[in-house]
């Protein structure tokens, strides 16, 4: 498959930026991601049939996207800014967002001869997808020297891919898609946002004093982030609304409850299938790390809070228990673990982290199990920039490892796509596992 050829690169600043620079302090939810990579998600579109603006003399689509991005950044000043630091005399350091309108990076590229079918038809996700995203292998703390937001628009033979990379210290998945939804709104012609972001940070003591981190705790290198481990394969499995409903009903019936959600049942089905095909020792412990949103659990945080508001929970079971006691037992165990994330526990995490900072690192995920990121609840297929809705959603190489699963909503309402990253032998075994594939729609 052809390589990506770069046409142009520029900095896009926010329109109507205020002359006074605003400083946004960071919370433990933000700071804990300093040492891992950026969030990378992108949308595949058909190529526009007609110019968006007839009178443009330069590339019409690129000009339109850059102009609409500039107007969107007016509402999202952190994304046009930079991470910044304050060095303290006690050998600590504080990070904050400097909303200085230094600008976001915008790159125009071409993948000569690559078609939409080349992206969505292969069994495994083609590696050229990783070239559709900027800032591969860059740690979040390096945002002091790099744009918080980078956009790459890649022309295909019959389509357009809009790849978006955002510093994970500045956004979580909810905020990532909040920005993309807003950009597509403005690109399509809206003058004002339907959901303006809220940047005010919440701190337990009602102050926003900078959190000090030992300087030695901030990693100086990013060797763990260079690329996906050699040999790993990525595949997107599609689950229809009907098959997800069957899994949910089965799990709840097994446990005599109605409390297991569709997603908990689906994730447990995948967890059991992967562990079964990796042929674990029955007494070996296996884990599932699930990301839980904090916004609904903290009344102080509005739904449109822009930043990080997520916590990870670790579900642990012995392989024998996971495989022999059914999907319902695994889903119920997951359900009970997620239920421990409450308003009280979220605030306790906040306060304990400040006293003893602990960072998320890639080595944390290299365990005997799975980790899930993103959510099918995010509005992905509603992103119409003015020439139609996306055909597919894909992610970049950032923060990928064996056992990483990324959740996307499916193109059909109620369906879910799960991008799974595994070694080839496990992936091949999954493909011929009747129990697993019985609920996958090909």
């Amino acid at each position: 498959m052809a390589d990506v050829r770069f046409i142009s690169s520029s900095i896009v600043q926010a329109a109507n930026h205020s002359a006074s620079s605003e400083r946004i302090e960071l919370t433990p939810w933000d700071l804990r991601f300093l040492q891992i990579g950026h969030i990378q998600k992108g949308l595949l579109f058909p190529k526009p049939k007609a110019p968006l603006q007839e009178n443009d003399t330069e590339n019409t689509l690129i000009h339109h996207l850059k102009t609409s991005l500039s107007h969107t950044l007016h509402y999202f000043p952190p994304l046009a800014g930079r991470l910044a630091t304050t060095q303290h005399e006690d050998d600590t350091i504080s990070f904050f967002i400097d909303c200085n309108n230094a600008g976001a990076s915008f790159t125009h590229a071409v993948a000569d001869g690559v078609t939409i079918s080349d992206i969505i038809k292969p069994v495994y996700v083609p590696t050229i997808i990783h070239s559709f995203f900027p800032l591969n292998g860059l740690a979040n703390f390096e945002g002091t020297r790099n744009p918080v937001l980078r956009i790459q628009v890649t022309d295909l033979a019959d389509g357009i891919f809009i790849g978006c990379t955002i510093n994970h210290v500045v956004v979580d998945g909810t905020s990532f898609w909040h920005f993309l939804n807003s950009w597509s709104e403005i690109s399509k012609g809206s003058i004002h946002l339907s959901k303006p972001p809220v940047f005010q940070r919440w701190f337990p003591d009602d102050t926003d004093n900078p959190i000090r981190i030992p300087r030695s705790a901030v990693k100086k290198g990013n060797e763990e982030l260079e690329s996906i481990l050699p040999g790993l394969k990525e595949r997107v499995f599609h689950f229809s609304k009907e098959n997800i409903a069957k899994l949910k009903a089965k799990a709840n019936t097994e446990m005599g409850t109605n409390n297991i959600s569709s997603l908990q049942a689906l994730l447990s089905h995948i967890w059991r299938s992967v562990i079964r095909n990796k042929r674990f020792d029955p007494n070996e412990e296996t884990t599932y790390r699930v990301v839980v949103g904090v916004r609904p659990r903290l009344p102080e945080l509005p739904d449109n809070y822009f930043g990080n508001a997520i916590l990870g929970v670790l579900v642990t079971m012995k392989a024998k228990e996971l495989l022999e006691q059914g999907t319902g037992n695994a889903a119920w165990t997951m359900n009970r673990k997620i239920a421990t994330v409450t308003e009280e526990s979220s605030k306790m995490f906040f306060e304990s982290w400040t006293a003893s900072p602990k960072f998320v690192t890639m080595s944390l995920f290299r365990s005997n199990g799975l980790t899930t990121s993103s959510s099918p609840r995010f509005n992905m297929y509603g992103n119409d920039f003015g020439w139609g809705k996306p055909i597919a959603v894909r992610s970049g190489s950032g923060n990928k490892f064996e056992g990483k699963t990324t959740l996307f909503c499916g193109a059909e309402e109620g369906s879910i796509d799960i991008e799974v990253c595994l070694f080839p032998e496990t992936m091949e075994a999954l493909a011929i596992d009747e129990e697993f594939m019985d609920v996958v729609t090909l």
Side-chain angles (χ1 to χ4, degrees), residues 32 79 109 190 204 244 258 289 302 308 354 423 431:
R32 59 200 290 261
L79 299 183
S190 294
I244 295 170
N258 292 314
R289 191 176 299 274
N308 283 282
T354 304
F423 284 118

Side-chain angles (χ1 to χ4, degrees), residues 1 28 37 42 48 57 80 105 167 193 213 224 247 265 283 310 317 384 398:
M1 196 172 288
T57 55
S105 170
N167 194 302
L193 298 187
I213 300 168
E224 287 187 322
L247 282 173
N283 292 313
I310 53 175
M317 299 179 72
D384 183 346

Side-chain angles (χ1 to χ4, degrees), residues 78-320:
L79 299 183
R82 298 288 184 272
L83 283 190
T85 59
T86 301
Q87 307 284 341
H88 303 288
E89 293 180 356
D90 59 353
D91 205 32
T92 60
I93 184 173
S94 298
F95 283 81
F96 63 96
I97 305 171
D98 184 3
C99 301
N100 57 6
N101 202 26
S105 170
F106 189 104
T107 299
H108 178 206
V110 176
D112 293 308
V114 178
T115 66
I116 288 173
S117 291
D118 292 332
I119 301 302
I120 63 175
K121 292 297 185 186
V123 172
Y124 298 124
V125 177
T127 56
I128 196 172
I129 284 283
H130 303 156
S131 301
F132 295 171
F133 294 91
L135 288 184
N136 289 321
L138 200 70
N140 292 308
F141 68 79
E142 295 180 270
T144 55
R145 303 189 302 274
N146 294 278
V148 166
L149 165 66
R150 288 202 178 195
I151 301 294
Q152 181 175 318
V153 178
T154 305
D155 291 334
L156 310 181
D158 56 353
I160 299 286
F161 191 91
I162 299 179
C164 182
T165 298
I166 307 183
N167 194 302
H168 204 338
V169 170
V170 180
V171 300
D172 58 11
T174 298
S175 294
F176 180 101
W177 289 104
H178 184 180
F179 159 71
L180 266 183
N181 297 158
S182 301
W183 182 19
S184 66
E185 264 191 303
I186 289 177
S187 178
K188 198 176 179 183
S190 294
I191 299 175
H192 300 292
L193 298 187
S194 60
K195 186 180 175 183
V198 172
F199 303 109
Q200 180 64 45
R201 292 306 197 257
W202 174 82
F203 292 87
D205 55 5
D206 293 325
T207 67
D208 58 355
N209 294 325
I211 295 174
R212 298 189 178 195
I213 300 168
R215 195 172 298 154
S216 59
V218 180
K219 202 167 188 177
K220 302 301 180 186
N222 60 328
E223 61 277 0
E224 287 187 322
L225 304 174
E226 288 305 316
S227 64
I228 294 178
L229 287 172
L232 286 181
K233 296 288 187 181
E234 295 172 88
R235 180 171 176 178
V236 177
F237 294 98
H238 180 70
F239 299 89
S240 67
K241 180 179 180 180
E242 293 74 21
N243 283 345
I244 295 170
K246 290 177 185 177
L247 282 173
K248 178 183 178 181
K250 179 175 183 291
N252 277 293
T253 299
E254 287 178 2
M255 300 308 295
T257 181
N258 292 314
N259 292 329
I260 295 171
S261 71
S262 298
L263 188 56
Q264 289 162 6
L266 178 57
L267 295 182
S268 297
H269 173 71
I270 293 174
W271 186 17
R272 296 181 70 244
S273 300
V274 170
I275 297 306
R276 180 170 61 248
N277 286 286
K278 289 182 77 171
R279 302 187 183 281
F280 265 47
D281 181 296
N283 292 313
E284 189 173 359
E285 282 199 335
T286 177
T287 61
Y288 205 134
R289 191 176 299 274
V290 184
V291 174
V292 180
V294 174
R295 286 173 182 81
R297 293 164 171 82
L298 274 182
E300 293 88 350
L301 292 186
D303 178 56
N304 52 344
Y305 171 81
F306 193 84
N308 283 282
I310 53 175
L311 291 174
V313 299
L314 192 65
V315 187
T316 303
M317 299 179 72
K318 285 190 175 182
K320 181 178 181 179

Side-chain angles (χ1 to χ4, degrees), residues 235-428:
R235 180 171 176 178
V236 177
F237 294 98
H238 180 70
F239 299 89
S240 67
K241 180 179 180 180
E242 293 74 21
N243 283 345
I244 295 170
K246 290 177 185 177
L247 282 173
K248 178 183 178 181
K250 179 175 183 291
N252 277 293
T253 299
E254 287 178 2
M255 300 308 295
T257 181
N258 292 314
N259 292 329
I260 295 171
S261 71
S262 298
L263 188 56
Q264 289 162 6
L266 178 57
L267 295 182
S268 297
H269 173 71
I270 293 174
W271 186 17
R272 296 181 70 244
S273 300
V274 170
I275 297 306
R276 180 170 61 248
N277 286 286
K278 289 182 77 171
R279 302 187 183 281
F280 265 47
D281 181 296
N283 292 313
E284 189 173 359
E285 282 199 335
T286 177
T287 61
Y288 205 134
R289 191 176 299 274
V290 184
V291 174
V292 180
V294 174
R295 286 173 182 81
R297 293 164 171 82
L298 274 182
E300 293 88 350
L301 292 186
D303 178 56
N304 52 344
Y305 171 81
F306 193 84
N308 283 282
I310 53 175
L311 291 174
V313 299
L314 192 65
V315 187
T316 303
M317 299 179 72
K318 285 190 175 182
K320 181 178 181 179
E321 180 187 3
L322 176 68
L323 298 179
E324 293 183 359
Q325 296 187 21
T327 301
N329 182 57
W332 183 246
T333 303
M334 186 179 294
N335 175 286
R336 293 298 82 204
K337 190 69 175 182
I338 291 172
T340 64
V341 183
T342 62
E343 177 183 355
E344 182 182 5
S345 69
S346 299
K347 291 179 177 179
M348 284 178 61
F349 166 82
F350 199 115
E351 294 167 355
S352 63
W353 194 95
T354 304
S356 180
K358 292 181 177 63
F359 300 96
V360 176
T361 63
M362 292 297 288
S363 59
L364 182 69
F365 303 116
R366 290 178 185 153
S367 60
N368 295 328
L370 303 179
T371 296
T372 284
S373 70
S374 190
S375 169
R377 297 185 181 92
F378 298 149
N379 178 12
M380 301 176 186
Y381 285 92
N383 288 288
D384 183 346
F385 284 79
W387 67 91
K389 294 184 178 182
I391 297 168
V393 187
R394 292 293 184 266
S395 64
S397 63
N399 302 323
K400 289 285 179 68
F401 46 87
E402 194 212 8
K404 174 70 176 287
T405 61
T406 305
L407 303 178
F408 303 127
C409 58
E412 308 89 31
E413 184 180 356
S415 66
I416 295 177
D417 289 337
I418 301 188
E419 183 184 73
V420 181
C421 188
L422 293 167
F423 284 118
E425 55 270 23
T426 309
M427 199 75 85
E428 291 164 7

